[in-house]
Amino acid sequence: QQQVKQSPQSLIVQKGGISIINCAYENTAFDYFPWYQQFPGKGPALLIAIRPDVSEKKEGRFTISFNKSAKQFSLHIMDSQPGDSATYFCAAAGTGKLIFGQGTTLQVKP
Amino acid sequence: DAEITQSPRHKITETGRQVTLACHQTWNHNNMFWYRQDLGHGLRLIHYSYGVHDTNKGEVSDGYSVSRSNTEDLPLTLESAASSQTSVYFCASSEKQGSTEAFFGQGTRLTVV
């Protein structure tokens, strides 16, 4: 079964707009929720991560919002830029192994 | 600089052949992982290891095996390659068993014909 569900599968945003990607998880033992960014031909790289003791974490234009009771978390990319065009994966971990969502392909149009 | 490298980057093999994909990391990380990436499925965990001589099955382990004889390497073996195993394979490592950042290799694109 899919322990981490991610939506949407693809997203097109105009430059300067807000990109929002959502994830839901099932296992309440998860205690680490990262987002990874992947460019074509490259391996995923950590973008930003949050632990369940906080509801929001912001790093530059990237923000994670976390709702523990709903078992949901989301990535917000403010002032989206063409250079943000990539595939984004949410993930969850409880014992060190990461379980990933299905991925979202983001295209930011100039 | 510490890094994680995968080889080969691309491989074409025939159905039924045994194939081994290499993964080497120089961070001295205890944890190592193998994932496969397929469109619509994201990254799915194949096998993982928390240290030397430790190996565990992930969610899609059938047809794959790993061994961990040292800290630096976790080779992934396809015992008898099948067309369903055509995919991009990623190796990753992280520092300790607690949930921390995982570092990924560049990936190996495997085609089984």
Side-chain angles (χ1 to χ4, degrees), chain A residues 31-32 36 38 41-44 46 51 89 93-98 100-102, chain B residues 9 33 35 37 40-43 45 48 50 90 97 99-102 104-106:
Chain A
D31 64 356
Y32 177 69
Y36 279 76
Q38 183 184 31
K42 303 292 186 182
L46 179 67
R51 295 195 183 271
F89 293 98
T95 56
K97 61 176 182 175
L98 288 167
F100 285 86
Q102 297 92 325
Chain B
R9 293 294 311 277
F33 310 88
Y35 292 87
Q37 182 174 10
H41 293 280
L43 293 153
L45 184 61
Y48 58 102
Y50 287 144
F90 286 98
Q97 192 157 346
S99 306
T100 59
E101 178 178 1
F104 282 79
Q106 296 278 61

Side-chain angles (χ1 to χ4, degrees), chain A residues 13-24:
Chain A
V13 174
Q14 291 294 130
K15 179 182 176 181
I18 301 173
S19 304
I20 301 175
I21 305 170
N22 300 297
C23 280

Side-chain angles (χ1 to χ4, degrees), chain B residues 8-96:
Chain B
R9 293 294 311 277
H10 302 271
K11 185 169 182 66
I12 301 174
T13 192
E14 295 179 343
T15 301
R17 290 193 178 269
Q18 184 181 80
V19 177
T20 296
L21 309 182
C23 176
H24 179 79
Q25 54 99 359
T26 59
W27 276 297
N28 201 36
H29 285 166
N30 287 325
N31 303 340
M32 295 186 73
F33 310 88
W34 273 105
Y35 292 87
R36 59 177 290 174
Q37 182 174 10
D38 304 285
L39 194 62
H41 293 280
L43 293 153
R44 292 182 290 176
L45 184 61
I46 305 171
H47 282 287
Y48 58 102
S49 168
Y50 287 144
V52 177
H53 303 310
D54 175 74
T55 60
N56 305 279
K57 293 182 179 181
E59 55 183 314
V60 290
S61 61
D62 287 350
Y64 303 94
S65 64
V66 294
S67 62
R68 187 91 180 269
S69 59
N70 58 53
T71 300
E72 296 80 18
D73 300 289
L74 187 70
L76 176 71
T77 297
L78 287 69
E79 304 293 343
S80 177
S83 57
S84 61
Q85 294 177 309
T86 293
S87 185
V88 180
Y89 291 85
F90 286 98
C91 179
S93 71
S94 66
E95 185 176 3
K96 55 189 177 183

Side-chain angles (χ1 to χ4, degrees), chain A residues 25-44:
Chain A
Y25 64 97
E26 299 173 1
N27 190 341
T28 56
F30 290 146
D31 64 356
Y32 177 69
F33 301 89
W35 285 89
Y36 279 76
Q37 181 186 54
Q38 183 184 31
F39 294 104
K42 303 292 186 182

